[in-house]
Amino acid sequence: KAGVTQTPRYLIKTRGQQVTLSCSPISGHRSVSWYQQTPGQGLQFLFEYFSETQRNKGNFPGRFSGRQFSNSRSEMNVSTLELGDSALYLCASSLDRRTSAMQYFGPGTRLTVL
Amino acid sequence: TQLLEQSPQFLSIQEGENLTVYCNSSSVFSSLQWYRQEPGEGPVLLVTVVTGGEVKKLKRLTFQFGDARKDSSLHITAAQPGDTGLYLCAEDNYGQNFVFGPGTRLSVLP
């Protein structure tokens, strides 16, 4: 069974631009969660989608948004990029986060904001 | 607000040594997970512990959950260079989201 894939793996943007990251979960998984990982703050939860609906949201500004498609693939968008948005963005898929604690992470997208 | 602390922050040991890393919470866990993350990769789930006092073994790794479900430990016996990585504990916030600790960065030298 193929694992979680994230594209692109690396991205360089400048301040003020926007970016869209993509995550394809494991086949059959309907829950996708997004996390931001930085050296200073560690792994922080951004949001979770299930069946095209955002179910939970972390404490991030509205510049961070996401969506999920009918095939469970998910995208996250960051608008008006700031230097502090430089991070590894990870997505994790699970059958259903509310009923299963098993989540599988993708390799991440490394975003650098200049 | 849940807070997870991990100690030590960094650990560098020689191959063959034993080590223990710790995870402590400011509140009672519903369940706790341990992950290992290697550079350039996402975290990989090692174990989920749910019951207070629970002990789980995964080859040379032993995971223990405190009786009060506010602490956990990971013990590695006879560490190998392949054990090198960032060890993260994560608290399940009753199905809402996971709260991760800052991690213990382990380096096992050959």
Side-chain angles (χ1 to χ4, degrees):
Chain A
K1 188 185 264 191
V4 179
T5 58
Q6 291 188 246
T7 56
R9 290 293 309 274
Y10 302 92
L11 207 48
I12 300 175
K13 292 285 188 179
T14 56
R15 280 185 301 173
Q17 288 187 310
Q18 74 166 21
V19 67
T20 299
L21 312 181
S22 179
C23 172
S24 292
I26 292 170
S27 178
H29 285 194
R30 297 167 65 190
S31 176
V32 174
S33 299
W34 287 90
Y35 294 84
Q36 180 196 66
Q37 186 175 31
T38 60
Q41 299 297 320
L43 256 163
Q44 294 186 288
F45 172 74
L46 281 157
F47 28 66
E48 184 226 349
Y49 285 87
F50 179 82
S51 291
E52 302 178 66
T53 301
Q54 185 182 89
R55 275 202 307 203
N56 294 295
K57 190 176 189 304
N59 189 26
F60 277 82
R63 300 186 296 106
F64 292 82
S65 63
R67 59 178 176 169
Q68 186 179 35
F69 302 94
S70 58
N71 62 357
S72 294
R73 188 177 70 86
S74 178
E75 289 180 347
M76 68 163 281
N77 183 276
V78 188
S79 63
T80 319
L81 284 166
E82 300 177 0
L83 295 178
D85 297 333
S86 293
L88 181 66
Y89 290 88
L90 295 158
C91 78
S93 83
S94 61
L95 286 168
D96 180 348
R97 261 296 295 124
R98 288 187 176 173
T99 58
S100 171
M102 298 288 294
Q103 61 176 355
Y104 301 86
F105 282 86
T109 293
R110 170 78 58 188
L111 172 65
T112 302
V113 182
L114 302 176
Chain B
T1 304
Q2 297 162 301
L3 284 174
L4 278 179
E5 296 179 345
Q6 290 189 246
S7 61
Q9 188 177 1
F10 299 97
L11 189 56
S12 182
I13 61 172
Q14 293 294 132
E15 182 176 3
E17 293 183 0
N18 302 331
L19 66 114
T20 302
V21 299
Y22 301 92
C23 175
N24 295 281
S25 175
S26 58
S27 59
V28 174
F29 301 136
S30 59
S31 70
L32 187 92
Q33 297 185 327
W34 283 93
Y35 293 81
R36 179 171 65 220
Q37 184 178 20
E38 298 184 21
E41 299 296 328
V44 174
L45 179 65
L46 297 173
V47 75
T48 300
V49 284
V50 179
T51 307
E54 186 173 8
V55 177
K56 286 191 173 180
K57 292 192 175 184
L58 183 65
K59 296 183 181 178
R60 295 175 295 99
L61 278 59
T62 302
F63 304 86
Q64 187 153 8
F65 204 12
D67 291 338
R69 291 165 56 205
K70 295 184 70 175
D71 60 278
S72 180
S73 65
L74 158 59
H75 181 81
I76 301 179
T77 302
Q80 300 176 0
D83 296 326
T84 293
L86 179 67
Y87 287 82
L88 296 158
C89 64
E91 181 178 5
D92 188 351
N93 182 21
Y94 296 95
Q96 300 300 309
N97 62 284
F98 278 98
V99 175
F100 281 80
T104 292
R105 192 165 295 281
L106 172 65
S107 177
V108 181
L109 306 173

